Structure formats: structure tokens, C-alpha cells
Amino acid sequence: MTDERMARMGLASVHDAGDARLHALVGREGAVEVWDHLRSGHGNTAMSRRAAMVDLSDVVKRTQAVGARFVIPGDQEWPVSVEDLSWSDPVGGFGGAPLGLWVIGKNLAESSPSVAVVGSRASTTYGEHVAADWGAGLTERGWTVVSGGAYGIDACAHRGAIAGGGLTIAVMAGGLAQLYPPGNTALLRKVCEVGTVISEFAPDCPPSRARFLVRNRLIAALSQGTLIVEGGMRSGAQNTVSWALSMQRVVMATPGPITSALSVTPHRLIRSGEAILVSSVDEVISALGPADTSIPDYPLQQPTLFDTLTPTQQAVYESMPGRGGISMDELCVLTGETALTLLAVLAQLTQASLITEAAPGTWKLTHRS
Amino acid sequence: MTDERMARMGLASVHDAGDARLHALVGREGAVEVWDHLRSGHGNTAMSRRAAMVDLSDVVKRTQAVGARFVIPGDQEWPVSVEDLSWSDPVGGFGGAPLGLWVIGKNLAESSPSVAVVGSRASTTYGEHVAADWGAGLTERGWTVVSGGAYGIDACAHRGAIAGGGLTIAVMAGGLAQLYPPGNTALLRKVCEVGTVISEFAPDCPPSRARFLVRNRLIAALSQGTLIVEGGMRSGAQNTVSWALSMQRVVMATPGPITSALSVTPHRLIRSGEAILVSSVDEVISALGPADTSIPDYPLQQPTLFDTLTPTQQAVYESMPGRGGISMDELCVLTGETALTLLAVLAQLTQASLITEAAPGTWKLTHRS
């Protein structure tokens, strides 16, 4: 007998990147049934063989070791907007909603409405300048900036968002044990602190070309719109754009000098009508339209209960796991607060129904239905 | 008794810039009637007082002195496309087709289909580079480049066209006695040699703000499409665009860095859908569509009789006035050929019906109906 979270963690540890059939099967049969079926050796596929070999307790340990939590549909911080991937299929039998997400950093439910800022790794000074400006300008206006953590435009968008004092989400194409690319480790660690880093791949799964492509669909799905900054003739940004368009998301492009090869993709998208030309934060926000409040996990703009907490209460609340439980000792280490302070804060948070005592002497987030 | 050409020259010497009512009146009543009426002192308006003072023989002398010819509707080289201005009226009671054109340089009928390349005077290095590239690239592909001869983008477009070995037309906002602006005199003299400089104002008429605005309508009317390169928040290019759109001409805009204030007008035009984003000569030509052969004075793309002439024949043919006549002595000076050579060439051109003997010993272009 396996619970839903463990089944999804198992499936997420063995699935092929972007296996839409598996996602569909889980939707029909349930994760537990599919996982138990795979584990029992049925099918004799590469996936069932991998399933037979996976040690789930090890995946749990690795998840904790990298400071991540494994979030699944139904969790308070599950980003419901990724469910749009269930019906989006621009490339045929490829994609689907993620089975679960490994998450480090801020609670995803506390993100404001998000906009993706993506573009070329081999960026120009112009593109980097503009990406950082978008990152700062959009977070200053209350938007969370989603990107892929890559060199070039992605990194500058994250940096700008951090500089703007806002939230940013980096979506990885591999597991969270090795934040990729290595040259951006310091930046991605910073995102873990002030924003959120997520992956649909188990902590030790290396990035691959296929995983980069399916990663792009998550960037598009997490965001109300996608904004391209620089892309050459064959740009990965085009892939993100296809996903965004297939989910009826807004696509925007930043124009640039026609003398630059990296203006090719933005200009082509504008010419074809796939993207709206944007040249200021006002234009981006106007193109995005009102924050989509139909996405229940992106409720902000108005203050939440979380915003009313003291810094210490927030720190404790943020340390809470969604499942399992965290002990007093662990909380002391994580927050740097004394046991006495923590006891008071735990009582306050419990009273506010934000956290729940799990096993005696351990606490976790209250599961919101 | 005044002939049509003299009447139009008179009217063109005294009209207010862009007086659409005068143009309409001439269309209804005829230039001779309107001119004679004005000259007889009727109306007692500023225009009739100016008309009473004009010495037409002096205007003719000044026209010849600056090396210009005065071209009117019905002339072989009259650019019929400017007649579209008769029904175009984007700003109300302002505009209309020109009454006549003072022309220096190449026969307008020998221009290939034209495209206007216009933009800011206070251009950036990027804009200047791009304007020169458009000028060269478009003339290399057989298009004539029309612009306003101003500093910045206009000058670079003309220079590029000359460098590309193609035709270029500069439309002046004042008379041709003083090519404006003074800093572009050398460039505009070069355009007089290898291309055409035109004005709807009498040779000694100074440029003025009103004349710049009505000049813009001629740039738009002479061209199958208008291409904007750089323009700030309040750009004169917007005025040219309004004229072009009101005549159902194609409008194109060159994107640029969003960090440049001079990208504001191109980007706004693209966002509003008024202009097509173009980033290569192929895209411009594709946007322009097939050369509009419904404009009878822009017949090229296919070889003309002119193309079949020898260089000497071409030089002689190009020296021919549309009216009056040119003497053997003048031809010797203009072409640098001997009288013996010229006699042979004149015989060949006469036989081909390209030129006609005017007064004995002088020749002119054959008037094509």
C-alpha cells in the first residue's frame, strides 16, 4: 500500500521526460494504482525496470538532503496553472502536467501572478541589460519572474528580479542536487533563498536535451505570459513560445537592433503575429491583462495571512514541510531561534491554523483543501 | 492668354503650402482660368496680391538658372502617383496634388518603383547604419529610394542609394535655388547628378514648417511604401506615415533597441498595426508587394528602351530637356562628346522617336502621350 505522494514521487523518479501517456494514465487510473502496477513488474518496460530498482526512502532522503520538498496536486502550494498542460499538446504525445515538483525556497502559493522572461544563452550586452530591466521592472510592479536559470538572458532576468526585491522562480531541467548550469550556482542558491527553484525531476537526475524541452513547457505553464528577449535563428525560446501559445498564454517579444542575429526570433514572432512587441513594463503588464485570479494558487496582489506574520513567524512557517513533520531541533537549526521563542511561535501558528502538529513533537503545514 | 504650364508655374509660385482648395479649384476650373482670374486682381486675397506681383519670365529664368525644369501633369515624366493626393485628405482641407514640380536631374519617368526611407534628423549610429543599408539594399534590388534630404536618416538613405548605384529622389521643402539643409549641399548636388531633386515650390521659395509638412505628403505619394527608421516621441515621420496610410500605401518600420528613445515611433507604429516590422531587404520587398504597374510613370522592373541604349546614347538622351530645346554646343559641354559623335547619336535617337528636333539645331525629348 503506497500513498499518493510516494506513488507520485516514484513515478516522477522513473518517468521519461515529457511522457504524456503516463500523465494521462495517472489521470485516469490514479498514481497509486499506476505505481503499484509498475512496481509489481508488469509491462517489462524500461520504466517498469527502473521502477523496480528505485528506493523511494532514498529519494525521500535525497530530497531532504538538498533542502527540497516534493509537492503534488492538492497541496496548498501546488501551482494549478500547470494543469493546463493536461490538454496542451503542441507537439503530439509529448508533455502533460508534471506528476509532482521538487521545490526549494519560498512557498509557490505565495508567488504573485507570474510572467516568464526567457531568451538566448549567448546573449548580447543589450539583451542582458534589457532582461535585467524586465526582471526588476516586473517584480517592482508585483509580478513574479519565471525563467530557466540558464546563462545569458535567463540569469539576467533572475538577477533583475532579485535586485527589484521581487520573487523569481527558476525551473530546472535536472534534479535539484546539482543546480545547473554550474556557473550559475551562486545565483541559483540566491534564488533558493529569496525565491523558488523547482524541478519535476528527482534530485539526482541529470539535465538532458529532452529535459530542457519539457522544462520549457513548465516555464510557459507557470506564467500568465511569456516574454522573449533575444533569440537567434534556432532559438530554444521558440519552444517555450509554442507551449505558451498552445495554452492560450500571452507571448511578448522585445525588439532589438536588426543588425543583431539575436533579434531574429523576437522579430519573426512579432511579424508572424505570434508575439506582441513590447518596449516598456507598462506595455508588458497591459499585454498580460489582469492577473488571472481564476488560478487559485496565484491569489496575491492583495495581502495574505502570511503578510500579516512577524518575520520570525514567517521564518518558522517557511520552514514547515507540507508532509511528514519537522522537529524542534531541526527548527532551531533552520531558523536560528531559541526553543523558547519557537514554542511561542508554534503555538501562534497552530492557533492561526497555519500549521498542525504531526507526530508528537513535530509540526507540518496545515493541509488546505 | 496663358498656357497651362505658365499658369501652373504662376500658381505654384504663389500658392500657400498645401492649399487643398486651390488644388481642387484648378481641377474643376483649369489652371489657366484660375491663374488669369487671380492675375486680374479678383478676390483681393494674399494669393491674388502675390499673383499680381509675380514676374513669370523671372521664374522661368530662375528655373533655368538653377538647372531645373518645371514639370506638370501630362508631361512624360509627371509622376502620376501624386494624383492620389487629390483624394487623400488625412488632416482636412490640407494637401492635394502638387500644381507642378521643379525637377533637377534624372527624368522621373526613368525611376523604378519607389520606396520612401525616412526618419529622425537626430539619428543614432545604429539608425544611420541601417538607413544606409536600406538605401543600398533597396536600390540594388531595383527600387528607387525617396527621402527628404534632411540630416540624419534621410541623408544616410540617399547616400546608401548612391553607394548602391541606384536612383534616389530628394523632395525639398523649399525652392531648388537653395538646397536645404546647407550641410547637405554636397550630398544634394550629388543627388542632382545621379538621381533627382524635386520641389513643388518656386526656386527662391524658402523652406518653412508648413512646407516641411506638405513636402512629407509628396514623399509618401511618390512611393509605393514608406519605411521608417528611427523616430522619437514626436517624430515628423508620423506625418509622412499618416499621408502614406491615407493613400493606402504600405508603411514599414525598422525596430531598434528599446533602450533608445528613437525607437519609440517605429515600435509604436508596429504595435498599433499601422506599420509592418521589417528587418531585411527581402521583408521590405515582400511587404511592398509587386511593383505597382498601374502607375504608368513607374513602369520599370522589365528592361526599357532606355536600357538598350549605349552609354553615349544614354548620356545624350539624359541631357535632353522635356521642353524648349538643347543646342549642339550645350550638348558638347554636357556630354563631353564631339559634335561628330553627337550628330550620329542624335540621328539614332530621333529615329527611335526618343527625341525630336525642336527649333532648328535644337533637340528635346519626344512628348509621350
Side-chain angles (χ1 to χ4, degrees), chain B residues 54-104:
Chain B
V54 162
D55 178 353
L56 278 186
S57 68
D58 187 56
V59 179
V60 170
K61 264 184 230 146
R62 292 293 297 149
T63 300
Q64 289 168 339
V66 303
R69 52 197 184 269
F70 184 68
V71 176
I72 62 170
D75 284 348
Q76 176 256 357
E77 71 169 315
W78 178 254
V80 175
S81 65
V82 299
E83 305 288 348
D84 289 350
L85 289 164
S86 305
W87 48 262
S88 152
D89 183 10
V91 283
F94 182 75
L99 296 156
L101 291 170
W102 278 269
V103 178
I104 303 180

Side-chain angles (χ1 to χ4, degrees), chain A residues 126 129-130 134 254-259 267 270-271 276-279 283, chain B residues 126 129-130 134 254-259 267 270-271 276-279 283:
Chain A
Y126 166 68
H129 173 96
V130 167
W134 287 137
T254 316
I258 64 171
T259 46
H267 291 167
I270 294 165
R271 277 174 59 79
I276 299 166
L277 182 156
V278 286
S279 58
E283 289 174 3
Chain B
Y126 166 69
H129 173 95
V130 166
W134 287 136
T254 316
I258 63 171
T259 45
H267 290 166
I270 294 165
R271 278 173 59 80
I276 299 165
L277 182 157
V278 287
S279 58
E283 288 174 3

Side-chain angles (χ1 to χ4, degrees), chain B residues 91-280:
Chain B
V91 283
F94 182 75
L99 296 156
L101 291 170
W102 278 269
V103 178
I104 303 180
K106 283 229 171 13
N107 189 308
L108 284 173
E110 278 145 26
S111 297
S112 45
S114 300
V115 54
V117 178
V118 297
S120 188
R121 288 188 301 276
S123 49
T124 69
T125 309
Y126 166 69
E128 290 162 12
H129 173 95
V130 166
D133 268 6
W134 287 136
L138 287 165
T139 55
E140 275 163 11
R141 297 285 287 271
W143 288 77
T144 295
V145 171
V146 179
S147 196
Y151 294 131
I153 298 303
D154 287 16
C156 290
H158 289 305
R159 280 198 190 96
I162 293 168
L167 287 174
T168 188
I169 299 174
V171 187
M172 298 286 101
L176 300 181
Q178 274 290 330
L179 296 178
Y180 185 93
N184 282 350
T185 305
L187 169 64
L188 291 166
R189 290 228 174 99
K190 183 77 184 164
V191 175
C192 288
E193 273 173 45
V194 301
T196 314
V197 177
I198 68 176
S199 174
E200 62 177 315
F201 303 104
D204 294 301
C205 177
S208 71
R209 177 160 167 70
R211 291 182 192 117
F212 278 108
L213 293 175
V214 295
R215 182 274 306 268
N216 290 343
R217 86 190 195 292
L218 281 187
I219 292 177
L222 283 165
S223 309
Q224 212 163 301
T226 293
L227 169 50
I228 310 296
V229 181
E230 294 200 321
M233 189 75 80
R234 295 207 178 115
S235 168
Q238 180 67 55
N239 176 254
T240 314
V241 165
S242 301
W243 284 106
L245 290 173
S246 77
M247 287 179 283
Q248 272 96 64
R249 306 288 205 260
V250 179
V251 175
M252 296 155 286
T254 316
I258 63 171
T259 45
S260 164
L262 290 171
S263 299
V264 167
T265 291
H267 290 166
R268 188 185 57 220
L269 291 169
I270 294 165
R271 278 173 59 80
S272 69
E274 291 169 279
I276 299 165
L277 182 157
V278 287
S279 58
S280 69

